[in-house]
Amino acid sequence: MDKRVLFDFEIAFTNGGGIQGKDFRLDIAGETISDQALADYLVQDMRLLMVGSVKILNKQIIEEKHKRRPIDEASGTAHLIDLSHTIEHGLVTYKGLPAPIICDYLSREESRKTYAEGTTFQIGKIEMVSNTGTYLDCPFHRYADGKDLSEVGLERLTDLEGIVVRANYHETLDIDASFFQGKELRGRAVLVHSGWDQYWTTEKYFEQHPHLTEDAARYLVACGVKLVGIDSVNIDDTRGKSRPVHSLLLKEEILIVEHLRGLELLPDEGFTFSALPPKFKGVGTFPVRALAKIR
């Protein structure tokens, strides 16, 4: 049987007055729905302005045939997908680089000495190299006169039109220009899905891994892409000492994101990509919370 939510509500306006509703019924897709989701839906659906508090009261989930499409499956609602690995104490992202040290600078126990009874805080302390977790490379990472994180514009990092290029590591580790031909690339974030992220935190992750070839990098530069990401340990072949992909892309201010995850959850097109690092001066790479927004 379909599920519906039955509830009362009270909405107050910041400029005075309010409205109430009793025995309101809405179709839902799952077994439950949060009060916040209901509040947000009411405000949006009724096109309310200057809304203050919204109270959801006497909420019940009932079995009743749907009248229309469930509100939590409404068309046009953006769906966010996290494409970042979790950074934790002792995580090894790249063999040979130290793992982060994550600890308390001020513990909750120690904070009891400073604040009123029942009030505690934690202040964390983090020591790590900037190449940790899912991270973004900008030109300064490769070139001394290149833009650092503080100089990269937000338009290069946020809501970029995205495309996923599938290059299964079972078939090849050398991802050449042929994988990108015949696709709409200009001005986009190009995310390479190899499936290698399944080995994250294992020894195999650091072994021979999927990577772009030099001719792929040259092709992407010629096509005017804005960003290139990959779900493996490095966008370059790390068996040698040269890094042609980094060199070519970063010279043209094409940003790089390495150690992505979850690209199998994305459609090939029809999404935007964001990867925002802190605004550090004199730093060329740093962890990001990478995400896709599927329209």
Side-chain angles (χ1 to χ4, degrees):
M1 177 68 77
D2 295 335
K3 301 290 185 181
R4 307 187 81 203
V5 58
L6 171 66
F7 63 100
D8 305 334
F9 66 84
E10 296 177 359
I11 299 176
F13 297 105
T14 59
N15 59 344
I19 58 175
Q20 298 179 346
K22 188 171 178 59
D23 293 336
F24 220 65
R25 301 187 183 207
L26 293 171
D27 300 333
I28 60 172
E31 297 292 321
T32 188
I33 189 168
S34 70
D35 289 0
Q36 186 62 56
L38 286 174
D40 291 343
Y41 178 80
L42 289 173
V43 172
Q44 181 179 10
D45 193 56
M46 292 191 282
R47 299 184 180 180
L48 302 177
L49 301 175
M50 304 187 76
V51 174
S53 66
V54 180
K55 296 180 180 178
I56 305 298
L57 308 167
N58 305 317
K59 184 174 71 176
Q60 302 176 54
I61 304 301
I62 61 174
E63 292 187 348
E64 193 172 83
K65 186 174 177 59
H66 284 170
K67 307 298 183 185
R68 58 176 181 173
R69 187 169 183 169
I71 62 171
D72 43 354
E73 286 186 354
S75 59
T77 300
H79 179 44
L80 302 180
I81 295 181
D82 191 341
L83 303 176
S84 308
H85 289 290
T86 298
I87 298 174
E88 56 189 354
H89 177 79
L91 171 73
V92 176
T93 299
Y94 194 94
K95 217 162 192 180
L97 296 179
I101 299 171
I102 304 174
C103 58
D104 289 340
Y105 173 77
L106 176 69
S107 69
R108 298 189 187 281
E109 184 65 32
E110 286 295 314
S111 77
R112 288 192 178 97
K113 302 174 184 177
T114 303
Y115 301 102
E117 185 176 353
T119 302
T120 62
F121 293 94
Q122 187 265 2
I123 298 177
K125 180 180 178 181
I126 302 172
E127 179 181 325
M128 70 178 189
V129 295
S130 57
N131 291 48
T132 298
T134 302
Y135 54 79
L136 177 136
D137 294 340
C138 66
F140 186 75
H141 178 50
R142 172 66 179 82
Y143 299 102
D145 60 349
K147 289 182 179 179
D148 64 21
L149 293 174
S150 71
E151 297 169 318
V152 176
L154 291 174
E155 74 282 355
R156 307 288 298 191
L157 303 165
T158 312
D159 286 337
L160 304 176
E161 196 69 31
I163 181 171
V164 177
V165 174
R166 314 288 177 183
N168 193 313
Y169 76 88
H170 288 293
E171 298 174 5
T172 184
L173 299 180
D174 301 311
I175 304 167
D176 61 26
S178 66
F179 283 87
F180 304 96
Q181 292 168 356
K183 300 182 185 298
E184 188 63 57
L185 302 174
R186 185 163 297 275
R188 287 184 163 188
V190 180
L191 309 182
V192 180
H193 173 217
S194 70
W196 198 252
D197 58 315
Q198 69 174 299
Y199 297 118
W200 177 252
T201 71
T202 71
E203 283 297 314
K204 187 172 177 61
Y205 189 73
F206 308 111
E207 297 172 4
Q208 291 188 45
H209 57 86
H211 56 271
L212 270 60
T213 61
E214 183 175 344
D215 78 302
R218 292 188 183 281
Y219 187 80
L220 292 170
V221 168
C223 289
V225 305
K226 284 189 176 180
L227 179 149
V228 184
I230 193 167
D231 58 358
S232 79
V233 68
N234 202 296
I235 203 167
D236 265 299
D237 186 349
T238 57
R239 288 173 292 184
K241 293 187 176 182
S242 64
R243 297 291 185 269
V245 180
H246 278 84
S247 298
L248 288 164
L249 296 182
L250 295 179
K251 184 177 182 180
E252 299 302 322
E253 299 190 356
I254 297 170
L255 304 176
I256 298 169
V257 179
E258 294 170 320
H259 309 282
L260 287 166
R261 60 172 292 276
L263 295 180
E264 72 278 1
L265 302 175
L266 301 185
D268 291 351
E269 300 183 63
F271 67 92
T272 59
F273 177 77
S274 299
L276 283 163
K279 195 176 180 181
F280 275 112
K281 187 70 178 174
V283 177
T285 185
F286 206 80
V288 292
R289 191 70 178 263
L291 63 95
K293 184 189 297 181
I294 301 176
R295 296 185 293 274

